[in-house]
Amino acid sequence: MFVSRRTVTIEWGDCDTAGIVFYPRFFAMFDWSTATLFANALGMRKPELLRRYGIAGIPMVDTRAKFHVPASYGDEVVIESRVEKFGRSSFDVYHRLLKGEAIGAECWETRVWAGRDADDPTRLRGVPTPMM
Amino acid sequence: MFVSRRTVTIEWGDCDTAGIVFYPRFFAMFDWSTATLFANALGMRKPELLRRYGIAGIPMVDTRAKFHVPASYGDEVVIESRVEKFGRSSFDVYHRLLKGEAIGAECWETRVWAGRDADDPTRLRGVPTPMM
Amino acid sequence: MFVSRRTVTIEWGDCDTAGIVFYPRFFAMFDWSTATLFANALGMRKPELLRRYGIAGIPMVDTRAKFHVPASYGDEVVIESRVEKFGRSSFDVYHRLLKGEAIGAECWETRVWAGRDADDPTRLRGVPTPMM
Amino acid sequence: MFVSRRTVTIEWGDCDTAGIVFYPRFFAMFDWSTATLFANALGMRKPELLRRYGIAGIPMVDTRAKFHVPASYGDEVVIESRVEKFGRSSFDVYHRLLKGEAIGAECWETRVWAGRDADDPTRLRGVPTPMM
């Protein structure tokens, strides 16, 4: 299974008063790791991917994260990401955040391959993934 | 079981290029809803709560969210929050985000009641919750 | 001159390791204060405003802020906002953030009333403000 | 004058419904560029710098940015940063964000070299910069 890796430096603005990453920021990092995973697998960046497949995005429908070891500003962490499953119009991604040798966090995602609704372009709806 | 409610207006800066809330922002909203839940239940705001109980924070260890209906800037949503369980040094919270009559999103949290480690104040560790 | 006021509660996620608001979050607050100012003055929320005037947004071109008194999570601050000037396709806004009696911060903005470029819809360009 | 450069990839979560960077995110990028500037100049990351000099942070007191060319997700931009002036307890930084050959944005900062107040550790106050 294709695995994508990227290094992320934790920034001052990612951290809270307790001195550790404010966890919603981890989800933002995982979000871009999923974009990077597709960019690396398909050889095109996200804007090109959306144009090429005629979709509006890959919105999240279900995500879970476990935080094992905190990280703080200045830390360099590695996020490893892979697609676990492709469904008809959705897919699952798994991320593992490494802080040195330790698994700092894990995240599971189910996202929709989503186009604009033909009848109401302000709405998104699942369309068949090209991988099925 | 004590339920806390607050109304949140979705802002332009909460939304992404698809025109819907960038989901990490929902986690930030849920985070403050948990703070508000304790504030409402205990009659003290978060800074006073941390001082009173001598803790550094209530860091997240495990959280999951399901997103059922998207929301966009200008929407007013209601977040209902309640503690589901108190453990020895952790507790579970459940949030339900209402967009009108619809359940727009749900979130489950397990957090730690965390103090500074006596030997290494840069580290956090679970301490007994006062509710047990 | 029309003045719009809103109360903002500083959240845990707005603050950094020094325990005070991470200043980019103040800009996010000012951004929504400008949206609220128009909503209050014109009687329509931002999505309706964009549709009604056929614009894609009111992007920032020049902004400055001075931070006089820090704020922290749990603080309730008031942001007062007013349009200072309407130009042909741009306008200036001034925000004053009050923490109790003190002026905690000030912000000046110059924004563009921006539509999609007819030749290239991925680009934004200034269009005449309806107020001129 | 020492100039620090770093490359930043604009992420999906940095952009708003108009499809361009939500400008408060630029300030977050500039904030970490200032941290990187000191890290590169002094050979130590921000947490070590704060410990070494006994300060709590380098809070912003005055910042201005001009946005010339929008950027969007997938764009790689370069931020060049340099200290313009060291005062007794404050210093000025200038950032230039390059999108290809174009200057996409500029930012000016005045920050304080801030320690904890001896009488009230919850307050920050300027202390002499080591560079003077």
Side-chain angles (χ1 to χ4, degrees):
Chain A
M1 185 63 92
F2 186 80
V3 175
S4 172
R5 279 181 194 80
R6 70 183 190 109
T7 299
V8 175
T9 301
I10 306 299
E11 303 182 0
W12 176 261
D14 295 325
C15 299
D16 63 20
T17 300
I20 60 174
V21 173
F22 180 54
Y23 70 94
R25 291 296 304 154
F26 275 131
F27 285 102
M29 295 171 204
F30 294 136
D31 181 72
W32 192 247
S33 285
T34 294
T36 302
L37 166 63
F38 278 92
N40 289 344
L42 300 176
M44 65 184 90
R45 297 171 314 143
K46 187 162 177 174
E48 291 147 15
L49 183 148
L50 298 194
R51 274 196 298 274
R52 170 74 164 277
Y53 293 98
I55 56 173
I58 46 171
M60 187 65 76
V61 291
D62 189 344
T63 188
R64 178 180 188 172
K66 297 189 183 191
F67 305 105
H68 305 296
V69 180
S72 187
Y73 60 99
D75 287 346
E76 287 206 341
V77 298
V78 171
I79 302 176
E80 292 182 351
S81 310
R82 64 169 189 263
V83 174
E84 294 275 81
K85 196 178 76 177
F86 275 110
R88 206 190 61 80
S89 60
S90 70
F91 59 97
D92 294 353
V93 177
Y94 170 69
H95 304 283
R96 207 166 64 154
L97 185 145
L98 301 169
K99 184 181 165 187
E101 301 291 299
I103 298 178
E106 293 172 282
C107 181
W108 296 263
E109 305 183 340
T110 299
R111 292 172 182 265
V112 174
W113 197 261
R116 295 270 172 215
D117 188 289
D119 295 328
D120 177 359
T122 69
R123 301 184 66 140
L124 303 179
R125 56 190 301 275
V127 294
T129 58
M131 293 73 179
M132 284 306 280
Chain B
M1 185 62 93
F2 186 80
V3 176
S4 172
R5 279 180 194 80
R6 70 184 190 109
T7 300
V8 174
T9 300
I10 305 299
E11 302 182 1
W12 176 261
D14 295 325
C15 298
D16 63 20
T17 301
I20 60 175
V21 173
F22 180 55
Y23 70 93
R25 291 295 304 154
F26 275 132
F27 285 101
M29 295 172 205
F30 293 136
D31 180 72
W32 192 247
S33 284
T34 295
T36 303
L37 166 63
F38 278 92
N40 289 343
L42 300 177
M44 64 184 90
R45 297 172 313 143
K46 187 162 176 174
E48 291 149 14
L49 183 149
L50 298 193
R51 274 196 299 274
R52 170 74 165 276
Y53 292 98
I55 58 173
I58 46 172
M60 186 67 74
V61 290
D62 189 345
T63 187
R64 178 180 189 172
K66 297 190 182 189
F67 305 106
H68 306 295
V69 180
S72 188
Y73 59 99
D75 286 346
E76 288 206 338
V77 298
V78 171
I79 302 176
E80 291 181 352
S81 310
R82 64 168 187 265
V83 174
E84 295 274 81
K85 196 177 76 177
F86 275 110
R88 206 190 62 80
S89 61
S90 70
F91 59 96
D92 294 352
V93 177
Y94 170 70
H95 303 283
R96 206 166 64 154
L97 184 146
L98 301 168
K99 184 182 165 187
E101 301 291 300
I103 298 177
E106 293 172 281
C107 182
W108 296 263
E109 306 182 340
T110 300
R111 293 172 181 264
V112 174
W113 197 261
R116 296 271 170 213
D117 189 290
D119 295 328
D120 177 358
T122 70
R123 302 185 66 141
L124 303 180
R125 56 189 302 274
V127 295
T129 58
M131 294 71 180
M132 286 305 281
Chain C
M1 185 62 92
F2 185 80
V3 176
S4 172
R5 277 180 196 82
R6 70 182 189 109
T7 300
V8 175
T9 301
I10 306 299
E11 303 181 2
W12 176 261
D14 295 324
C15 298
D16 63 20
T17 300
I20 60 175
V21 173
F22 181 55
Y23 70 94
R25 290 295 305 155
F26 275 132
F27 284 101
M29 294 172 205
F30 293 138
D31 180 73
W32 191 247
S33 284
T34 295
T36 302
L37 166 63
F38 278 92
N40 289 345
L42 301 176
M44 65 184 90
R45 297 171 314 143
K46 188 164 177 173
E48 292 148 15
L49 183 149
L50 297 193
R51 275 197 297 275
R52 169 75 165 275
Y53 292 99
I55 57 174
I58 48 172
M60 187 66 74
V61 291
D62 188 345
T63 188
R64 178 179 189 174
K66 297 191 183 189
F67 305 105
H68 306 296
V69 180
S72 188
Y73 60 99
D75 287 346
E76 288 207 339
V77 298
V78 171
I79 302 176
E80 292 181 352
S81 309
R82 63 169 187 265
V83 174
E84 294 276 82
K85 195 177 76 175
F86 275 110
R88 205 190 61 79
S89 60
S90 71
F91 59 96
D92 295 352
V93 176
Y94 170 70
H95 304 283
R96 207 166 64 154
L97 184 146
L98 301 169
K99 184 182 165 186
E101 301 291 299
I103 298 178
E106 293 173 282
C107 181
W108 297 262
E109 305 182 342
T110 299
R111 293 172 181 264
V112 174
W113 197 260
R116 296 268 170 217
D117 189 289
D119 296 327
D120 177 359
T122 69
R123 302 185 64 138
L124 303 179
R125 55 189 302 275
V127 295
T129 59
M131 293 72 179
M132 284 305 282
Chain D
M1 185 63 91
F2 185 80
V3 175
S4 172
R5 278 180 195 79
R6 70 183 189 110
T7 300
V8 175
T9 301
I10 306 298
E11 304 181 1
W12 176 261
D14 295 325
C15 299
D16 63 19
T17 300
I20 60 175
V21 173
F22 180 55
Y23 70 94
R25 291 296 305 155
F26 276 131
F27 284 102
M29 295 172 204
F30 293 137
D31 180 73
W32 192 247
S33 285
T34 294
T36 302
L37 166 63
F38 278 92
N40 290 343
L42 300 177
M44 65 184 90
R45 299 171 313 143
K46 189 163 176 173
E48 291 148 16
L49 182 148
L50 298 194
R51 274 196 298 274
R52 170 75 164 276
Y53 292 97
I55 57 174
I58 47 171
M60 186 66 76
V61 291
D62 188 345
T63 188
R64 178 180 188 172
K66 297 190 183 189
F67 305 105
H68 306 296
V69 179
S72 187
Y73 59 99
D75 287 346
E76 287 207 340
V77 299
V78 171
I79 303 176
E80 291 181 353
S81 310
R82 65 170 187 265
V83 174
E84 296 275 80
K85 197 178 73 176
F86 276 109
R88 206 188 62 79
S89 60
S90 70
F91 60 97
D92 294 352
V93 177
Y94 170 69
H95 304 283
R96 207 166 63 154
L97 184 146
L98 302 168
K99 184 182 164 185
E101 300 292 299
I103 298 178
E106 293 172 284
C107 182
W108 298 262
E109 305 182 341
T110 300
R111 292 172 182 264
V112 174
W113 197 261
R116 296 268 171 216
D117 190 289
D119 296 327
D120 177 359
T122 70
R123 304 184 64 140
L124 303 179
R125 56 189 301 275
V127 295
T129 59
M131 294 71 179
M132 285 304 283

